[in-house]
Amino acid sequence: MLFHLLEDSEICSLIAVRRRRRCQNSATFFSHPMSSPKHVGSGKVAGMGKPQVAAVLPAGGSGERMGVSTPKQFCTILGRPLISYTIQAFERVRWIKEIVVVVPAEKIDLMQSIIHKYGHKRVTLAEGGTARHRSILSGLKMLAQSESPVSKLWKPDVVIIHDAVRPFVEEDILLKVTAAANEHGAAGVVRPLISTVIASSEVGCLDYSLERAKHRASEMPQAFQFDAIFQAYLQSSDYDLDYGTECLQLALKYSSMPAKLVDGPPDLWKVTYSRDLYAAESLIKDGLSQYVCLITVMKEDVVQVGFLLHETLKTHGKQVKGISPSMCENVSQLQSLFKDKPCYNFICINTKESSFEDAEKMVDLLGSSSLPILYPVLLFSVHLVGPEGSSLYDKPQELEGIRDLSHKAMKKNIWVYGLVINLTKIEQQLQETVCRGAAIIMALIKDRCGTLAGQLLVA
Amino acid sequence: MLFHLLEDSEICSLIAVRRRRRCQNSATFFSHPMSSPKHVGSGKVAGMGKPQVAAVLPAGGSGERMGVSTPKQFCTILGRPLISYTIQAFERVRWIKEIVVVVPAEKIDLMQSIIHKYGHKRVTLAEGGTARHRSILSGLKMLAQSESPVSKLWKPDVVIIHDAVRPFVEEDILLKVTAAANEHGAAGVVRPLISTVIASSEVGCLDYSLERAKHRASEMPQAFQFDAIFQAYLQSSDYDLDYGTECLQLALKYSSMPAKLVDGPPDLWKVTYSRDLYAAESLIKDGLSQYVCLITVMKEDVVQVGFLLHETLKTHGKQVKGISPSMCENVSQLQSLFKDKPCYNFICINTKESSFEDAEKMVDLLGSSSLPILYPVLLFSVHLVGPEGSSLYDKPQELEGIRDLSHKAMKKNIWVYGLVINLTKIEQQLQETVCRGAAIIMALIKDRCGTLAGQLLVA
């Protein structure tokens, strides 16, 4: 459910079938004339073949409910601010042409540095207002000014509005709300209620409870015909702009557009409390831990351990690809291993002779790519010792070697771990050792905390 | 916010002030005659000094929304089923005399084994119905049958109803709803709405949106005068029992009791989706990582490292107590270090001579106590090497020693880690080494995953 965060390619999906279906939808959406919108805000939309789509992400929240001083959109997961994950989710979608992020004046510099650091494209910053609706209005104004000669932007036909603190938004739901908005004027994602909603009497007692089945929680994303929603915002009263929170309500009230409601997945929830940040972190780490690339040479010991490791990781639900060092010539080759899913976990099984050579090459290769910009990349350098006589620490340079390599790699957001596997001729024992090794690798991949990088662990 | 899960003592609080306030509340509640209830279900409640309180925990959910086959109340966190955490939260509250857990027939054996394994007291099992309300009715019937000569139970004056999948319930909110129910007949916790609630028209478009400020999400716990809620359930229609979910609504409809609404903390949220389980896990681990006990002898090197470690951990927000090995004679002494908060993290700094002796003693002591029953206990065995000449692996037996000790301790739910600190005479260097050591300890405490137990890590 989180794979949209895990890849650089612009169209994503969890499984191939779903992917094909989505692409068909996408094709239909963009190549056929739209059905006539019921509510047309401007003549431009009607009969148009390909709507121009932009997004506005209001990011002015204060994080009060989080109980922390950092607004939640700037809280970090794996060192990267939450808002960067949300921007990334929109960037992947090729047909969203422009992303306007609205932040308070005092956060403009911070936001600019985030855009620069993580290489975000197609993002324009706008200065936010004091309330959510005022921030959205700022974003809409920036898009509307496109006709000014100084603007790099253009006025979209459809605008998507989404919260900066809902990073798990996938292309298919963006497509659904955009298509529905294009047809109906306005559309928004809804979810079933988790708790019963009740109304309180004046004395703080239960007045009535709502029937759960008839009501829905209104979530994001929402989408609107641009001219219609912009007019609605321009006409909104100060009270609505200062105290309202629901865009669909403004569209209904000021532009008479009853939004089409679209059922959305549970991952669209809003990161509101500290626990939500924990949940988001775990989901992101979970996603990053799915794919593993195993690099082995064709030598007997190495192949045997590689095979056992491969099988064990697969048994535990990982998708594993085994390759030879010669296939590690360029990153794009490595990236095509899992079609368009980038892999952030590498295991390099060293021969007794090569020691760190292959691992060092991998650090150079990965470090020169854009891969570690968005997420830390993990590299396990596996060292085989034995089978007889030679003890693990006959070569104390292993420990020093792994520390030095880790130190160098850390600067490039690559975390290197050493793993010692004791070769034994008793197959059962070797299997158990490799199982322990796989468990160590999986634990470190899942926890994805850099503190233990540079350690030499023993399976 | 999670400390109620972190201790065995029965009255808990986050900070001393809050604790005192609560205890005062508790005293008032139980020593003064109750104010006259507005809705009296039976003569027993009126004018009563100390209401008898029981709890019913319906635990029949199927976990459909979780997307997993295990119902969420039986999903494990740190190896222990979620429902055990919720029971633990109720057990700590001395004035709740009986806890009735309602599970489907096919889960009775599993539930019995959970109660046995984690040593839960005051718990009675009831067989649940096909729907939530029918399960609650089963629990109420069990309490109502107390007058039968075979029953060990008694009929309470007030019954608390709570979901098995809301483990973070503290004594103060239980007290508030119980007191409010005793006075008003019924009471329930409410929270502000996170999302706007909307109603859909017949064609799936926005009909209207509710004003967020006038509505609340109804959460748990809820409490009721026993006779009144039991009568309400007995009178409920089959439709209400099969399709209703809101106890407050039944109390209003069948016993004319408009529940008093009590504002609750955010931690009462219901574990519904996989992400909620992640969040709960992180909160529990967070809580377990707050307290650290540091065991040092009075020898120069040891004292110096111990002092630096103590200061570094404190700087990072841990509460640390340093003690001598002689204070580790019995567990109750160790437990009183942080008043009534049990400590689940121990660091033992070995002298060069003693090697593993102190760590081994600690494993025996902790293993013979009840401490590791509810949570894994972490023990760091710190080994000092150097300052000059002697290399880390002059003594390969260290590695074997830590693996053997870890293997033995693991069976008792104690996870042992070795940590090597290189003594150097350059103070700045030693400080940096200890800082790295503290970071390793904190990372392992926070992640609390047993896979790396038995490893010898190098600071």
Side-chain angles (χ1 to χ4, degrees), chain B residues 394-413:
Chain B
D394 282 354
K395 305 188 203 167
Q397 70 270 24
E398 298 281 8
L399 186 71
E400 292 310 315
I402 205 76
R403 280 174 85 103
D404 291 347
L405 183 58
S406 160
H407 194 71
K408 177 180 137 192
M410 190 65 100
K411 292 175 191 154
K412 300 176 183 173
N413 210 22

Side-chain angles (χ1 to χ4, degrees), chain B residues 297 299-305 348-358 382-391 394-395 397-398 420-425:
Chain B
V297 292
K299 288 192 65 172
E300 200 190 337
D301 285 351
V302 174
V303 168
Q304 193 189 7
V305 171
C348 196
I349 308 185
N350 300 287
T351 58
K352 284 185 204 173
E353 298 74 33
S354 70
S355 202
F356 288 102
E357 254 172 57
D358 290 338
V382 177
H383 301 263
L384 308 178
V385 299
E388 67 273 320
S390 68
S391 145
D394 282 354
K395 305 188 203 167
Q397 70 270 24
E398 298 281 8
V420 174
I421 287 181
N422 227 317
L423 286 178
T424 150
K425 291 201 167 153

Side-chain angles (χ1 to χ4, degrees), chain A residues 191 249 273 278 286 455 458, chain B residues 191 273 278 286 455 458:
Chain A
R191 287 282 307 156
Q249 187 57 33
Y273 299 106
Y278 282 136
D286 232 23
Q455 296 290 332
V458 182
Chain B
R191 288 283 307 157
Y273 300 106
Y278 282 136
D286 232 22
Q455 296 290 335
V458 182

Side-chain angles (χ1 to χ4, degrees), chain B residues 16-37:
Chain B
V17 176
R18 202 169 159 196
R19 174 176 176 79
R20 276 196 299 279
R21 198 191 59 214
R22 273 192 224 166
C23 292
Q24 282 157 6
N25 288 348
S26 196
T28 311
F29 184 56
F30 290 112
S31 61
H32 287 71
M34 292 289 121
S35 28
S36 281

Side-chain angles (χ1 to χ4, degrees), chain A residues 1 65 166 184 189-201 203-212 214-219 239 245-246 248-249 252 257-262 266-270 272-276 278-283 286 391-393 396 399 403 436 439-441 443-444 446-447 449 451-452 455-459, chain B residues 1 65 166 184 189-201 203-212 214-219 239 245-246 248-249 252 257-262 266-270 272-276 278-283 286 391-393 396 399 403 436 439-441 443-444 446-447 449 451-452 455-459:
Chain A
M1 54 196 165
R65 281 190 283 195
R166 300 183 195 249
H184 296 268
V189 167
V190 291
R191 287 282 307 156
L193 295 174
I194 293 177
S195 306
T196 303
V197 173
I198 59 174
S200 167
S201 68
V203 293
C205 287
L206 175 67
D207 193 2
Y208 58 86
S209 71
L210 297 180
E211 206 175 317
R212 232 199 261 189
K214 288 190 182 161
H215 293 84
R216 295 282 180 278
S218 170
E219 308 288 345
Y239 183 87
T245 52
E246 182 53 67
L248 301 185
Q249 187 57 33
L252 181 63
M257 295 190 305
K260 182 70 183 172
L261 305 178
V262 178
D267 302 340
L268 288 173
W269 102 102
K270 186 173 167 184
T272 307
Y273 299 106
S274 299
R275 68 165 187 264
D276 294 316
Y278 282 136
E281 180 173 340
S282 296
L283 287 174
D286 232 23
S391 144
L392 164 61
Y393 296 108
L399 186 72
R403 282 173 83 103
R436 284 197 302 271
I440 289 171
I441 289 172
L444 289 167
K446 187 166 177 247
D447 184 37
C449 148
T451 314
L452 297 182
Q455 296 290 332
L456 190 61
L457 305 159
V458 182
Chain B
M1 55 193 168
R65 280 190 284 195
R166 300 183 194 248
H184 295 269
V189 167
V190 290
R191 288 283 307 157
L193 295 174
I194 293 177
S195 306
T196 304
V197 174
I198 59 174
S200 167
S201 68
V203 293
C205 286
L206 175 67
D207 193 2
Y208 58 87
S209 71
L210 295 180
E211 205 176 319
R212 233 199 259 188
K214 288 191 181 160
H215 293 83
R216 295 283 180 278
S218 171
E219 309 288 346
Y239 183 87
T245 52
E246 182 53 67
L248 301 184
Q249 186 58 32
L252 181 63
M257 295 190 304
K260 181 70 183 172
L261 304 177
V262 178
D267 301 341
L268 287 173
W269 102 102
K270 187 172 168 184
T272 307
Y273 300 106
S274 298
R275 68 166 188 264
D276 294 316
Y278 282 136
E281 181 172 341
S282 296
L283 287 174
D286 232 22
S391 145
L392 164 62
Y393 295 108
L399 186 71
R403 280 174 85 103
R436 285 198 300 270
I440 290 171
I441 290 173
L444 290 167
K446 185 164 178 249
D447 184 36
C449 149
T451 314
L452 296 181
Q455 296 290 335
L456 191 60
L457 305 160
V458 182

Side-chain angles (χ1 to χ4, degrees), chain B residues 304 308 387 422-433:
Chain B
Q304 193 189 7
L308 286 172
N422 227 317
L423 286 178
T424 150
K425 291 201 167 153
I426 304 162
E427 202 180 311
Q428 171 74 11
Q429 270 187 17
L430 184 62
Q431 256 177 23
E432 283 169 15
T433 307

